[in-house]
């Protein structure tokens, strides 16, 4: 019987097993801003502030207002109150959107890491409204301090350790036909009008320049538009052009794109952008929205059926990814979700079970989003019109209907002890993982010469980075942090960043990626994140 190992195989095995990895300290450690951008985003939307919707902020709509959009509200207010009283009303609304107590509550009781902040092109300044419905001397006065109010709010959130995605919710011409696009035109003219597209590109470029020059802190990313219509013509070409343009300003700023209700296609597009051989492009994240109360199919289901169906969600994510080298990097967040179900759905369940079913529905969603994406953002918080129901973040937390990742709730002593436990077991974990990797490939392809030192090198950096994310709060890198820890959430995109920094080439760079992923996994398991 032929021996499984030949002498030269054993010598080669031992040589590859013992070859020391290159110095991973040559790569810079994760910064505090890296952690804010790439950690798991346990987030919430702050809707109805800079882009009004009647159901969110009814007090901003006078009784004579026709329509439900920002433009409807500000026009009616001008005619009812005149310019300067309207200016004062709008500025008061912006500046009182979150009090200091609200921010403390979000950061330390509700453990929010990130806010998705809807803004409009008209928020950025008069020069961005030319040839749009918001172009007038009156509106120039009313919105003159809007952008400064955004900067002020983002700064206040950053001081509490909360990052912000600036979401261009209302774009020129409208990315969709709804009133949350800023007007009640009922049209989605962004996609078919070159002037609108150019104006939006100018908006994104202006925001990117402001972020790149540190005029606004803690920006996690810029979302190009919200809820693009299904099959938006030319959307991916436009996204690609914008990605190239932002790369000339600051290629480190993540860009978020709407999936246009086709998550698979959007993920495939971003995989073509997020590649190692395009090192100067910013990372691109797909924003998808999940609601279960709007369609006839939604209404036809009982609450329990809807809850049970949640396990089938995000298959587009599960069926892709896990190989940045060969497939490109994927990043996905659920940019909007809620606990809302239609009255017809609730009619299919006993009223006595409603509170428990509501809790199960919220918990099931938030758990799945955490398991399968890089973040999720409840819609919405601090709203006037829906206080105390399933659209209300504070209410849903009060009902224990949102699953908060356990690591966010740790006190610093617990986080420090778990870090010590991980370091204590590091070498044995590393040795075991390397041995298993080498043995697997020796059995799978005994004739092939590998570069297993790459696995070891990747493992070392993956472990270090997982710890760095975990301890950034402990080291006071995250402003205002008083408890909790963080984990890498957008893992594919973080690996992409590291691979681009590494500049590695060759047929076996995939071993480095495998090692990095395993190093992160082993570190997170040692930190108690095996089930999170």
């Amino acid at each position: 019987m032929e021996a499984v190992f030949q002498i030269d195989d054993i010598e080669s095995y031992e040589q590859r097993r013992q070859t020391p990895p290159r110095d991973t300290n040559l790569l810079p450690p994760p910064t505090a801003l890296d952690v804010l951008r790439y950690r798991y985003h346990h987030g919430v939307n702050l809707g109805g502030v800079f882009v009004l919707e009647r159901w969110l902020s009814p007090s901003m709509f006078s009784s004579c207002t026709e329509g439900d959009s920002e433009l409807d509200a500000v026009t009616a207010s001008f005619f009812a109150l005149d310019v300067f009283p309207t200016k004062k009303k709008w500025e008061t609304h912006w500046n009182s959107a979150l009090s200091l107590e609200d921010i403390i509550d979000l950061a330390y009781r509700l453990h929010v890491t990130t806010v998705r902040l809807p803004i409009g092109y008209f928020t950025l300044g008069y020069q961005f409204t030319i040839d749009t419905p918001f172009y007038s001397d009156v509106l120039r006065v009313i919105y003159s301090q809007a952008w400064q109010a955004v900067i002020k709010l983002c700064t206040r959130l950053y001081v509490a350790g909360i990052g912000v995605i600036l979401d261009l919710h209302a774009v020129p011409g409208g990315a969709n036909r709804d009133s949350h696009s800023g007007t009640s035109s009922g049209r989605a003219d962004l996609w078919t009008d070159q002037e609108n597209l150019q104006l939006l590109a100018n908006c994104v470029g202006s925001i990117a320049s402001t972020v790149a020059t540190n005029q606004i802190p803690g920006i996690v990313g810029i979302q190009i538009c919200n809820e693009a219509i299904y099959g938006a013509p030319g959307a991916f070409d436009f996204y690609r052009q914008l990605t190239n343009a932002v790369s000339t300003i600051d290629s480190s700023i993540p860009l978020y794109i709407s999936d246009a209700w086709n998550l698979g296609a959007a993920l495939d597009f971003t995989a073509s952008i997020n590649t190692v051989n395009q090192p100067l492009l910013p990372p691109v994240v797909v924003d998808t929205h999940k609601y279960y109360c709007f369609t006839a199919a939604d209404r036809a289901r009982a609450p329990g059926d809807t809850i049970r169906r949640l396990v089938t969600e995000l298959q587009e994510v599960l069926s892709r990814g896990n190989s940045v080298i060969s497939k490109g990097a994927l990043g996905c967040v659920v940019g909007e979700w809620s606990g809302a179900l239609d009255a017809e759905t609730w009619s299919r369940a006993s009223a006595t079970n409603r509170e428990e079913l509501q809790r199960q529905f919220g918990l099931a969603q938030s758990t799945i989003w955490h398991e399968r994406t890089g973040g999720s953002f409840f819609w919405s918080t601090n709203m006037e019109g829906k206080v105390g129901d399933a659209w209300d973040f504070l209410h849903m937390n009060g009902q224990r209907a949102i699953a908060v990742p356990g690591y966010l709730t740790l006190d610093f002593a617990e986080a420090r002890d778990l870090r010590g436990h991980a370091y204590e077991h590091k070498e044995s974990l590393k040795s075991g993982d390397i041995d298993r990797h080498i043995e697997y490939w020796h059995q799978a392809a005994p004739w092939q010469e590998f570069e297993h030192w790459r696995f070891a090198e990747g493992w070392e950096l993956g472990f270090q980075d997982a710890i760095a994310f975990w301890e950034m709060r402990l080291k006071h890198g995250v402003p205002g942090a008083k408890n909790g820890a963080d984990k890498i959430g957008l893992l594919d995109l973080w690996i992409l960043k590291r691979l681009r920094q590494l500049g590695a080439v060759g047929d076996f760079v995939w071993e480095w990626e495998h090692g990095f992923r395993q190093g992160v996994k082993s570190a997170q398991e040692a930190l108690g994140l095996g089930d999170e």
Side-chain angles (χ1 to χ4, degrees), residues 101-268:
E101 291 74 20
D102 292 332
I103 293 173
I104 290 172
D105 197 42
L106 289 175
Y108 305 126
R109 184 177 71 86
L110 302 175
H111 307 288
V112 167
T113 65
T114 318
V115 163
R116 181 173 177 262
L117 181 62
I119 61 174
Y121 65 95
F122 44 82
T123 312
L124 302 179
Y126 181 68
Q127 67 272 32
F128 297 102
T129 66
I130 296 172
D131 294 330
T132 77
F134 282 86
Y135 184 59
S136 76
D137 290 337
V138 167
L139 297 183
R140 179 178 188 172
V141 172
I142 293 170
Y143 289 95
S144 61
Q145 295 302 307
W147 184 233
Q148 288 305 310
V150 170
I151 293 175
K152 179 180 177 182
L153 178 56
C154 292
T155 302
R156 294 172 66 226
L157 287 165
Y158 175 70
V159 169
I162 298 175
V164 173
I165 294 175
L166 290 173
D167 161 36
L168 277 159
H169 215 73
V171 298
N176 59 62
R177 301 179 181 90
D178 296 318
S179 60
H180 57 235
S181 286
T183 75
S184 296
S185 72
R187 299 176 63 87
D189 286 339
L190 170 69
W191 307 109
T192 55
D193 188 304
Q194 191 57 44
E195 290 184 359
N196 284 334
L197 290 170
Q198 184 58 59
L199 181 54
L200 176 55
N202 294 344
C203 291
V204 173
S206 177
I207 296 171
S209 296
T210 304
V211 173
T213 52
N214 299 314
Q215 297 177 56
I216 181 169
I219 298 304
V220 166
I222 302 169
Q223 181 155 350
I224 295 170
C225 68
N226 172 67
E227 290 189 351
I229 56 170
Y230 181 83
F236 291 150
D237 289 339
F238 177 64
Y239 292 155
R240 190 180 298 275
Q241 292 168 10
L242 262 186
T243 302
N244 289 328
V246 171
S247 72
T248 67
I249 300 170
D250 185 344
S251 62
S252 73
I253 302 172
L255 297 180
Y256 285 68
I257 65 168
S258 166
D259 70 349
W261 310 104
N262 188 340
L263 179 56
L267 289 171
D268 289 341

